[in-house]
Amino acid sequence: MTKSILLVGVGGQGTILASKILTNGLMEAGYDVKMSEIHGMSQRGGSVSSQVRYGEKVMSPVIEKGKADIIVSFEKMEALRSLDYLKADGTLVVNNEEIPSMSVITGDETYPDDILEEIEKHAKAKVVDATRLARELGNEKAANIILLGTIIKSMGLEHINWDGILEANIKPQFLELNKKALKVGMEAVSE
């Protein structure tokens, strides 16, 4: 049975790094894994998405609409934009973070005040304050690893040696912070 994970965010949030660490962990655990990523003006705060599919044999890296087992959104508007990819019984994790897009910054659009309520009309969301939690750990850039932890817990992937995967992918000076961030993310979706 192939599982599909969609990570969405804004350039600079570490969406791609989180998906690469996830992919490495899944491959290490013996799964066939396919990953694709889309950078939409990612350097300028544009949308970024990464699709990770894993299982015994995966034919395509592309997730069709309505087929994602889990969507993890690093930013609230990106969650709303990607909802049509979520399965009816899928899991939606949303970082309670607002990053205005270029069209909001230029005044062409406004950022909705009721975005979480709008999301809840379409899917049951687990809202995580990953950026605040990362700040409390000492570095808000660790929010991506907190969100990776939410995927690991939600998808039942705790059996994989994530500390070893982090050691292979994270600079030594950030390793302990990221190990803590991963645990915080798993705990955030445990309740």
Side-chain angles (χ1 to χ4, degrees):
M1 172 71 97
T2 299
K3 297 287 185 184
S4 299
I5 302 169
L6 179 62
L7 296 85
V8 295
V10 171
Q13 287 191 290
T15 311
I16 303 298
L17 177 61
S19 62
K20 285 182 176 166
I21 293 170
L22 176 63
T23 298
N24 289 341
L26 291 167
M27 289 190 315
E28 190 86 17
Y31 292 105
D32 184 25
V33 185
K34 301 276 189 289
M35 177 184 144
S36 71
E37 52 194 64
I38 298 167
H39 311 259
M41 293 290 288
S42 58
Q43 297 302 312
R44 302 198 194 289
S47 295
V48 175
S49 74
S50 183
Q51 301 183 0
V52 178
R53 301 188 71 230
Y54 70 97
E56 214 170 285
K57 183 75 184 131
V58 179
M59 298 304 180
S60 165
V62 179
I63 300 172
E64 294 175 31
K65 289 187 177 183
K67 300 288 185 190
D69 292 286
I70 185 170
I71 296 175
V72 175
S73 181
F74 288 46
E75 194 277 341
K76 293 188 290 192
M77 180 67 87
E78 296 305 318
L80 193 59
R81 286 188 179 129
S82 61
L83 276 177
D84 53 347
Y85 282 91
L86 191 64
K87 289 182 161 176
D89 61 344
T91 301
L92 175 64
V93 177
V94 181
N95 182 14
N96 196 12
E97 173 82 356
E98 275 183 32
I99 300 176
S101 64
M102 197 49 72
S103 58
V104 171
I105 292 168
T106 58
D108 294 336
E109 289 183 303
T110 56
Y111 201 104
D113 293 329
D114 59 344
I115 197 155
L116 288 175
E117 292 83 0
E118 190 60 37
I119 290 167
E120 285 284 345
K121 288 179 188 173
H122 306 282
K124 180 81 185 102
K126 294 178 185 174
V127 180
V128 177
D129 284 316
T131 306
R132 179 186 55 79
L133 292 167
R135 208 174 293 123
E136 289 170 7
L137 286 175
N139 187 337
E140 76 176 38
K141 288 197 174 291
N144 66 332
I145 304 301
I146 290 174
L147 292 165
L148 174 60
T150 70
I151 295 170
I152 291 166
K153 183 68 177 181
S154 297
M155 298 302 288
L157 298 169
E158 301 97 309
H159 63 281
I160 296 171
N161 176 12
W162 293 106
D163 282 352
I165 301 300
L166 288 175
E167 286 163 16
N169 289 280
I170 301 287
K171 291 179 182 161
Q173 65 265 37
F174 300 116
L175 188 56
E176 284 313 307
L177 167 75
N178 282 287
K179 285 181 179 180
K180 286 179 192 162
L182 199 68
K183 286 177 181 59
V184 166
M186 288 189 215
E187 289 163 10
V189 291
S190 290
E191 320 78 58

